[in-house]
Amino acid sequence: MTGEHAHHRPEDDAARLGLVVIGEAAALHAGDDTSLDASEQNIRDTVDDLVDEPLTERQEEVVERLAAAGGTLTAGLSGALAATTDRSVDDVLGGAARSVVWQQRLSQERDDAGHQESGDRHDGGRAEG
C-alpha cells in the first residue's frame, strides 16, 4: 500500500471491492475480450492492494475467483432486473455503483460525526456558557 492509502477503513475497502465486482459484471455484459481482460487485471490489482501480507498463490487465486463469481452473479441479476424493469443493464449497474458509493459515504459521515462527538466530550471538563 502507498503511504497515501496506508490506512483504509474496512468500509472503503468493501466499497472498492464492490465496484470491482460491478466492473466485472459490466465487462461480462460488454462481452469483449479487452473489457474482460481489463476487469480481471483490476481484480488482481485490487486484491494485491487490499491485503496487508502477501497471499499464497492459491489464496490469491481463490479471492480473484470469488470476485469474478460475484461479477457473474451481478451480471445475471442486473440483466434480469433490467429486463423486468424495462431499463438497460448499464442503468442497473450504474445504480448499483451509485449505491455502493452512497453507502461508503454514509459510513464516512457516521465515522466523522462520531469523531466530532468524541472530541466534544473530551473538552477537558470545561463547561461553556
Side-chain angles (χ1 to χ4, degrees):
M1 287 185 185
T2 64
E4 177 185 340
H5 301 290
H7 179 70
H8 291 277
R9 295 175 330 116
E11 294 86 352
D12 296 336
D13 292 341
R16 182 173 175 199
L17 191 54
L19 292 173
V20 167
V21 167
I22 292 168
E24 176 75 358
L28 288 166
H29 274 286
D32 68 270
D33 289 341
T34 302
S35 294
L36 288 171
D37 290 345
S39 178
E40 289 171 7
Q41 185 59 49
N42 193 25
I43 290 171
R44 282 190 289 279
D45 292 345
T46 301
V47 168
D48 286 344
D49 192 47
L50 292 178
V51 297
D52 296 327
E53 297 180 21
L55 299 174
T56 66
E57 188 175 317
R58 181 177 181 281
Q59 289 170 325
E60 188 169 331
E61 185 177 316
V62 167
V63 173
E64 289 171 6
R65 288 181 188 241
L66 283 171
T72 300
L73 288 169
T74 302
L77 292 172
S78 64
L81 183 60
T84 61
T85 60
D86 202 30
R87 304 208 50 146
S88 73
V89 173
D90 289 341
D91 286 345
V92 172
L93 290 173
R98 286 188 298 278
S99 179
V100 167
V101 171
W102 182 71
Q103 288 293 329
Q104 186 274 335
R105 286 183 185 154
L106 285 178
S107 173
Q108 182 65 54
E109 289 173 6
R110 282 191 299 270
D111 284 356
D112 291 346
H115 289 293
Q116 288 175 354
E117 288 177 15
S118 175
D120 292 345
R121 284 186 241 140
H122 296 102
D123 64 358
R126 290 176 272 166
E128 292 190 27

